[in-house]
Coordinates of all heavy atoms in Angstrom, one line a residue:
I222 N -58.6 -53.2 -32.1 CA -59.3 -53.5 -30.8 C -58.3 -53.3 -29.6 O -58.7 -52.8 -28.6 CB -59.9 -54.9 -30.9 CG1 -61.1 -54.9 -31.8 CG2 -60.3 -55.4 -29.5 CD1 -61.7 -56.3 -32.0
A223 N -57.1 -53.9 -29.8 CA -56.1 -53.8 -28.6 C -55.8 -52.3 -28.3 O -55.8 -51.9 -27.1 CB -54.8 -54.5 -29.0
A224 N -55.6 -51.5 -29.3 CA -55.3 -50.1 -29.1 C -56.5 -49.4 -28.5 O -56.4 -48.6 -27.6 CB -55.0 -49.4 -30.4
G225 N -57.8 -49.8 -28.9 CA -58.9 -49.2 -28.3 C -59.1 -49.6 -26.9 O -59.5 -48.7 -26.1
V226 N -58.9 -50.8 -26.5 CA -59.0 -51.3 -25.1 C -58.0 -50.5 -24.3 O -58.3 -50.0 -23.2 CB -58.8 -52.8 -25.0 CG1 -58.8 -53.2 -23.5 CG2 -60.0 -53.5 -25.6
L227 N -56.7 -50.5 -24.7 CA -55.7 -49.7 -24.0 C -56.0 -48.3 -23.8 O -55.8 -47.7 -22.8 CB -54.3 -49.9 -24.6 CG -53.7 -51.3 -24.6 CD1 -52.4 -51.3 -25.4 CD2 -53.3 -51.6 -23.1
G228 N -56.5 -47.7 -24.9 CA -56.9 -46.3 -24.9 C -58.0 -46.0 -23.9 O -58.0 -45.0 -23.2
R229 N -59.0 -46.9 -23.9 CA -60.2 -46.7 -22.9 C -59.7 -46.8 -21.5 O -60.0 -46.0 -20.6 CB -61.2 -47.8 -23.2 CG -62.4 -47.7 -22.3 CD -63.3 -46.5 -22.6 NE -63.9 -46.5 -24.0 CZ -65.0 -47.2 -24.3 NH1 -65.7 -47.9 -23.4 NH2 -65.5 -47.2 -25.5
L230 N -58.8 -47.8 -21.2 CA -58.3 -48.1 -19.9 C -57.4 -46.9 -19.5 O -57.4 -46.5 -18.3 CB -57.5 -49.4 -19.8 CG -58.3 -50.7 -20.0 CD1 -57.4 -51.9 -20.0 CD2 -59.4 -50.8 -19.0
K231 N -56.6 -46.4 -20.4 CA -55.7 -45.3 -20.1 C -56.5 -44.0 -19.7 O -56.2 -43.3 -18.7 CB -54.8 -45.0 -21.3 CG -53.7 -44.0 -21.0 CD -52.8 -43.7 -22.2 CE -53.5 -42.7 -23.1 NZ -52.4 -42.1 -24.0
A232 N -57.6 -43.8 -20.5 CA -58.4 -42.6 -20.2 C -59.1 -42.7 -18.8 O -59.2 -41.8 -18.1 CB -59.5 -42.4 -21.3
T233 N -59.5 -44.0 -18.5 CA -60.1 -44.2 -17.2 C -59.1 -44.0 -16.1 O -59.4 -43.4 -15.0 CB -60.7 -45.6 -17.1 OG1 -61.7 -45.8 -18.1 CG2 -61.3 -45.9 -15.7
C234 N -57.9 -44.4 -16.3 CA -56.8 -44.2 -15.3 C -56.6 -42.7 -15.0 O -56.5 -42.2 -13.9 CB -55.5 -44.8 -15.7 SG -55.4 -46.6 -15.6
R235 N -56.5 -41.9 -16.1 CA -56.3 -40.5 -15.9 C -57.5 -39.8 -15.2 O -57.3 -38.9 -14.4 CB -56.1 -39.8 -17.3 CG -54.8 -40.2 -17.9 CD -54.2 -39.0 -18.7 NE -55.1 -38.6 -19.8 CZ -55.0 -39.0 -21.1 NH1 -54.0 -39.8 -21.4 NH2 -55.9 -38.6 -22.0
E236 N -58.7 -40.3 -15.5 CA -59.8 -39.7 -14.7 C -59.8 -40.0 -13.2 O -60.2 -39.2 -12.5 CB -61.1 -40.3 -15.3 CG -61.5 -39.9 -16.7 CD -62.6 -40.7 -17.3 OE1 -63.2 -41.6 -16.6 OE2 -63.0 -40.5 -18.5
R237 N -59.1 -41.1 -12.9 CA -58.9 -41.4 -11.4 C -57.6 -40.9 -10.8 O -57.3 -41.2 -9.7 CB -59.0 -43.0 -11.3 CG -60.3 -43.6 -11.8 CD -60.1 -45.1 -11.8 NE -59.8 -45.7 -10.5 CZ -59.4 -46.9 -10.4 NH1 -59.2 -47.7 -11.4 NH2 -59.0 -47.4 -9.2
G238 N -56.9 -40.1 -11.6 CA -55.6 -39.6 -11.1 C -54.5 -40.6 -11.0 O -53.6 -40.5 -10.2
L239 N -54.6 -41.7 -11.8 CA -53.6 -42.7 -11.8 C -52.7 -42.6 -13.1 O -53.0 -41.9 -14.0 CB -54.3 -44.1 -11.9 CG -55.2 -44.4 -10.7 CD1 -56.0 -45.7 -10.9 CD2 -54.5 -44.4 -9.4
S240 N -51.5 -43.2 -13.0 CA -50.5 -43.1 -14.0 C -50.3 -44.5 -14.8 O -49.6 -45.4 -14.2 CB -49.2 -42.7 -13.4 OG -49.3 -41.4 -12.8
P241 N -50.9 -44.7 -16.0 CA -50.8 -45.9 -16.6 C -49.4 -46.2 -17.3 O -48.9 -45.2 -17.9 CB -51.9 -45.9 -17.7 CG -52.0 -44.4 -18.0 CD -51.7 -43.7 -16.7
I242 N -48.9 -47.4 -17.2 CA -47.7 -47.8 -18.0 C -48.1 -49.1 -18.6 O -49.0 -49.8 -18.2 CB -46.5 -47.9 -17.1 CG1 -46.7 -49.1 -16.0 CG2 -46.2 -46.6 -16.4 CD1 -45.5 -49.3 -15.2
C243 N -47.2 -49.6 -19.5 CA -47.3 -50.9 -20.1 C -46.0 -51.3 -20.7 O -45.1 -50.5 -20.8 CB -48.5 -51.0 -21.1 SG -48.4 -49.9 -22.5
S244 N -45.9 -52.5 -21.2 CA -44.7 -53.0 -21.8 C -45.0 -54.2 -22.7 O -46.0 -54.8 -22.7 CB -43.7 -53.6 -20.6 OG -44.3 -54.7 -20.0
T245 N -44.0 -54.5 -23.6 CA -44.0 -55.6 -24.4 C -42.6 -56.1 -24.8 O -41.7 -55.2 -24.8 CB -44.9 -55.4 -25.6 OG1 -45.1 -56.7 -26.4 CG2 -44.2 -54.5 -26.6
T246 N -42.5 -57.3 -25.2 CA -41.1 -57.7 -25.7 C -40.8 -57.1 -27.1 O -41.7 -56.8 -27.8 CB -41.1 -59.2 -25.8 OG1 -42.1 -59.7 -26.6 CG2 -41.2 -59.9 -24.4
V247 N -39.6 -57.0 -27.3 CA -39.1 -56.4 -28.6 C -39.7 -57.1 -29.8 O -40.1 -56.5 -30.8 CB -37.6 -56.4 -28.7 CG1 -37.1 -55.9 -30.0 CG2 -37.0 -55.5 -27.6
E248 N -39.8 -58.4 -29.7 CA -40.2 -59.2 -30.8 C -41.7 -59.1 -31.1 O -42.2 -59.4 -32.3 CB -40.0 -60.7 -30.6 CG -38.5 -61.0 -30.5 CD -38.0 -60.8 -29.1 OE1 -38.8 -60.4 -28.2 OE2 -36.7 -60.9 -28.9
N249 N -42.6 -58.6 -30.2 CA -44.0 -58.5 -30.5 C -44.4 -57.3 -31.2 O -44.8 -56.3 -30.6 CB -44.7 -58.6 -29.1 CG -46.2 -58.9 -29.2 OD1 -46.8 -58.6 -30.3 ND2 -46.8 -59.5 -28.2
V250 N -44.3 -57.3 -32.5 CA -44.5 -56.1 -33.3 C -45.9 -55.7 -33.3 O -46.2 -54.4 -33.2 CB -44.1 -56.4 -34.8 CG1 -44.4 -55.2 -35.7 CG2 -42.6 -56.8 -34.9
G251 N -46.9 -56.6 -33.2 CA -48.3 -56.2 -33.1 C -48.6 -55.4 -31.9 O -49.3 -54.4 -31.9
A252 N -48.1 -55.9 -30.7 CA -48.3 -55.2 -29.5 C -47.7 -53.9 -29.5 O -48.2 -52.9 -29.0 CB -47.8 -56.1 -28.3
R253 N -46.5 -53.8 -30.1 CA -45.8 -52.5 -30.1 C -46.6 -51.5 -30.9 O -46.8 -50.3 -30.5 CB -44.4 -52.6 -30.8 CG -43.4 -53.4 -29.9 CD -42.2 -53.8 -30.7 NE -41.5 -52.6 -31.2 CZ -40.3 -52.7 -31.9 NH1 -39.7 -53.9 -32.0 NH2 -39.7 -51.6 -32.3
Q254 N -47.3 -51.9 -32.0 CA -48.1 -51.0 -32.8 C -49.3 -50.5 -32.0 O -49.7 -49.4 -32.0 CB -48.4 -51.6 -34.1 CG -49.2 -50.7 -35.0 CD -48.3 -49.5 -35.5 OE1 -47.2 -49.7 -36.0 NE2 -48.8 -48.3 -35.3
A255 N -50.0 -51.5 -31.4 CA -51.1 -51.2 -30.6 C -50.9 -50.2 -29.4 O -51.6 -49.3 -29.2 CB -51.7 -52.5 -30.0
I256 N -49.8 -50.5 -28.7 CA -49.4 -49.6 -27.6 C -49.1 -48.1 -28.1 O -49.6 -47.2 -27.5 CB -48.2 -50.2 -26.9 CG1 -48.6 -51.5 -26.2 CG2 -47.6 -49.2 -25.9 CD1 -47.4 -52.3 -25.6
A257 N -48.4 -48.1 -29.2 CA -48.2 -46.7 -29.8 C -49.4 -46.1 -30.2 O -49.6 -44.8 -30.0 CB -47.2 -46.8 -30.9
N258 N -50.3 -46.8 -30.8 CA -51.6 -46.2 -31.3 C -52.5 -45.9 -30.1 O -53.4 -45.0 -30.3 CB -52.3 -47.3 -32.1 CG -51.7 -47.4 -33.5 OD1 -50.9 -46.6 -34.0 ND2 -52.0 -48.5 -34.2
A259 N -52.3 -46.4 -28.9 CA -53.0 -46.1 -27.8 C -52.5 -44.8 -27.0 O -53.1 -44.5 -26.0 CB -53.1 -47.2 -26.8
G260 N -51.5 -44.2 -27.6 CA -51.0 -43.0 -27.0 C -49.9 -43.2 -25.9 O -49.8 -42.4 -25.0
F261 N -49.1 -44.2 -26.1 CA -48.0 -44.4 -25.2 C -46.7 -44.2 -25.9 O -46.6 -44.2 -27.1 CB -48.0 -45.9 -24.6 CG -49.0 -46.2 -23.6 CD1 -50.3 -46.6 -24.0 CD2 -48.8 -46.0 -22.3 CE1 -51.3 -46.9 -23.1 CE2 -49.8 -46.3 -21.3 CZ -51.0 -46.7 -21.7
V262 N -45.7 -43.8 -25.1 CA -44.3 -43.6 -25.7 C -43.3 -44.4 -24.9 O -43.4 -44.6 -23.7 CB -44.0 -42.1 -25.5 CG1 -44.0 -41.6 -24.1 CG2 -42.7 -41.8 -26.2
C263 N -42.4 -45.0 -25.7 CA -41.3 -45.8 -25.1 C -40.1 -44.9 -24.8 O -39.5 -44.4 -25.7 CB -40.9 -46.9 -26.1 SG -39.6 -48.0 -25.5
R264 N -39.9 -44.8 -23.5 CA -38.8 -44.0 -23.0 C -37.7 -44.8 -22.4 O -36.5 -44.4 -22.3 CB -39.2 -42.9 -22.0 CG -40.2 -41.9 -22.5 CD -40.3 -40.7 -21.6 NE -41.2 -39.7 -22.1 CZ -42.4 -39.5 -21.8 NH1 -43.0 -40.2 -20.8 NH2 -43.2 -38.5 -22.3
H265 N -38.0 -46.0 -22.0 CA -37.0 -46.9 -21.4 C -37.1 -48.3 -21.9 O -38.1 -48.7 -22.5 CB -37.1 -46.8 -19.9 CG -36.7 -45.5 -19.3 ND1 -35.4 -45.1 -19.2 CD2 -37.5 -44.5 -18.9 CE1 -35.4 -43.9 -18.7 NE2 -36.6 -43.5 -18.5
R266 N -36.0 -49.1 -21.6 CA -36.0 -50.5 -22.1 C -35.4 -51.3 -21.0 O -34.7 -50.9 -20.1 CB -35.1 -50.6 -23.3 CG -35.7 -50.1 -24.6 CD -34.8 -49.2 -25.4 NE -35.5 -48.7 -26.6 CZ -36.1 -47.6 -26.7 NH1 -36.2 -46.8 -25.6 NH2 -36.7 -47.2 -27.8

Side-chain angles (χ1 to χ4, degrees):
I222 288 176
V226 170
L227 288 173
R229 181 73 63 86
L230 295 178
K231 190 180 83 161
T233 300
C234 286
R235 287 214 302 260
E236 290 171 0
R237 297 171 59 193
L239 302 173
S240 301
I242 64 173
C243 57
S244 66
T245 189
T246 55
V247 171
E248 296 83 5
N249 196 335
V250 177
R253 291 168 60 175
Q254 187 64 55
I256 292 170
N258 288 342
F261 286 88
V262 60
C263 179
R264 296 193 176 104
H265 291 284
R266 285 137 181 89

